[in-house]
Amino acid sequence: MKPLMLQGHERAITQIKYNREGDLIFSTAKDHKPSVWFSLNGERLGTFNGHQGAVWCVDVDWTTTRLITGSGDMSTKLWDVETGRALGTIPTNSAARTVNFSYSGNQASYSTDKAMGHNCELFIIDVRNVDSSISNQSPVLKLTMNQQQTKITSMLWGALDETVITGHENGSMRVWDLRTAKELYSVNDHTHVINDMQLSSDGTMLVSASKDTTAKLFDSESLMCLKTYKTERPVNSAAISPILEHVALGGGQEAMEVTTTSTKAGKFDSRFFHLVYEEEFARVKGHFGPINSLAFHPDGKSYATGGEDGFVRVQVFDSSYYDFVFE
């Protein structure tokens, strides 16, 4: 199956997200323009213009009406998906590294980097009625990370919007109770920075991708480590198939460590592992650089990868993928 190549970004892709129906893909890159594409034919619908720096993260709410982006220009912006208009801008003290809507879509969270004398901070904001005054509103909750907790590099909302799960630079994962504003517990299964965390479609499990060359499967409630998927290279992104017991991993050497390797070396493949048996069973070539973000389509019949080469590739699975049985 020939993949769709989504060309439009001028710099490396930082994150891609499908909306809940899966008809749209939202992508952010180190250029200043988050984009939205039709996932079916790869046509670009438009861009969200307004950021002045690299855009690190994106999330779209449950109803596909609003988008949130976090950027290196020290701001988080909320957008109207339909018109591409910026609804509000929240200034931050340093680059916004992660953003996420809660499942209800009533709240959003974002975290900032530890930089310029400011500690890493996690903010919860109310986004029920967003207008330009949001830049002056104080957040619902603000949590500051201390030295041991290190910088937040990835984040998810837990069940029922009561908790937030954060992945950190030192490889720890923490669960925060939003009502008491306290850390409930933390685990240290990874030994290096956690690049990405994604929930399974039912929200009971999450898969984490780390620079320590592994991806791990956790129970999203207790953060108990259930499975480990080992590779030889840093893993930048990992996703769980919504329909089959498969985990897809994307990664490769870090951009600054890449020498002139041919794509045949297989360093930039998407790799598929069996969820339960932890065995790799397939690889998909394609990118000319590390894969920075990977996402399954909500129906599980295709997936998308965003790479350091500035392309988003959408790969639809052949029938042989569904017939494959693990011996």
Side-chain angles (χ1 to χ4, degrees), residues 288-308:
F288 294 95
I291 293 172
N292 290 339
S293 186
L294 188 148
F296 268 101
H297 190 292
D299 70 4
K301 294 177 181 167
S302 62
Y303 76 103
T305 51
E308 191 71 27

Side-chain angles (χ1 to χ4, degrees), residues 48-67:
F48 298 89
N49 301 344
H51 276 300
Q52 304 299 317
V55 186
W56 292 114
C57 45
V58 61
D59 195 26
V60 57
D61 71 354
W62 194 70
T63 53
T64 321
T65 48
R66 282 182 305 201
L67 192 76

Side-chain angles (χ1 to χ4, degrees), residues 7 11 14 22 52 64 94 96 98 101 131 136 191 231 249 272:
Q7 289 173 306
R11 302 267 323 268
T14 50
Q52 304 299 317
T64 321
S94 54
T98 64
F101 281 107
D131 53 28
N136 314 323
T191 56
T231 69
L249 273 56
F272 286 79

Side-chain angles (χ1 to χ4, degrees), residues 40-308:
L40 192 65
N41 57 7
E43 185 184 334
R44 179 149 80 167
L45 265 170
T47 56
F48 298 89
N49 301 344
H51 276 300
Q52 304 299 317
V55 186
W56 292 114
C57 45
V58 61
D59 195 26
V60 57
D61 71 354
W62 194 70
T63 53
T64 321
T65 48
R66 282 182 305 201
L67 192 76
I68 184 169
T69 54
S71 168
D73 66 4
M74 310 207 321
S75 74
T76 297
K77 281 182 187 283
L78 286 136
W79 311 81
D80 179 358
V81 170
E82 194 179 351
T83 60
R85 197 167 55 84
L87 298 172
T89 301
I90 304 160
T92 54
N93 289 326
S94 54
R97 181 64 53 184
T98 64
V99 291
N100 268 313
F101 281 107
S102 68
Y103 186 73
S104 65
N106 292 338
Q107 291 174 307
S109 56
Y110 63 95
S111 74
T112 59
D113 282 354
K114 177 176 164 37
M116 296 173 292
H118 295 282
N119 272 346
C120 170
E121 293 174 318
L122 175 67
F123 297 87
I124 311 291
I125 50 171
D126 188 323
V127 291
R128 272 174 294 202
N129 30 21
V130 179
D131 53 28
S132 53
S133 67
I134 195 165
S135 53
N136 314 323
Q137 286 169 13
S138 52
V140 180
L141 181 66
K142 173 172 141 182
L143 298 162
T144 306
M145 304 296 133
N146 59 27
Q147 292 289 259
Q148 288 84 46
Q149 288 163 332
T150 67
K151 182 179 106 175
I152 295 174
T153 50
S154 59
M155 170 188 62
L156 290 169
W157 282 81
L160 302 175
D161 297 357
E162 289 169 0
T163 55
V164 162
I165 305 162
T166 54
H168 295 256
E169 199 166 34
N170 63 357
S172 62
M173 288 165 75
R174 299 168 196 277
V175 177
W176 304 87
D177 185 333
L178 299 182
R179 272 176 293 194
T180 60
K182 287 195 173 59
E183 183 184 325
L184 290 177
Y185 38 84
S186 68
V187 293
N188 289 318
D189 289 286
H190 282 294
T191 56
H192 212 314
V193 52
I194 295 175
N195 290 318
D196 187 29
M197 300 190 299
Q198 294 194 31
L199 286 167
S200 59
S201 56
D202 60 2
T204 55
M205 299 180 294
L206 68 97
V207 65
S208 61
S210 168
K211 201 178 162 182
D212 66 9
T213 71
T214 63
K216 289 178 190 279
L217 187 72
F218 292 90
D219 180 282
S220 62
E221 192 81 21
S222 64
L223 286 195
M224 189 172 98
C225 183
L226 307 171
K227 301 284 175 190
T228 301
Y229 312 100
K230 293 189 182 68
T231 69
E232 316 79 65
R233 292 183 193 84
V235 186
N236 292 339
S237 193
I240 303 171
S241 165
I243 51 169
L244 297 169
E245 293 183 330
H246 296 165
V247 177
L249 273 56
Q253 306 141 295
E254 271 209 63
M256 54 192 193
E257 292 158 17
V258 172
T259 51
T260 48
T261 47
S262 90
T263 45
K264 293 196 183 69
K267 295 199 167 154
F268 310 129
D269 300 358
S270 316
R271 308 169 72 152
F272 286 79
F273 284 76
H274 194 282
L275 182 86
V276 182
Y277 303 127
E278 306 177 351
E279 299 250 345
E280 185 180 352
F281 64 87
R283 288 189 185 192
V284 180
K285 288 189 173 44
H287 283 285
F288 294 95
I291 293 172
N292 290 339
S293 186
L294 188 148
F296 268 101
H297 190 292
D299 70 4
K301 294 177 181 167
S302 62
Y303 76 103
T305 51
E308 191 71 27

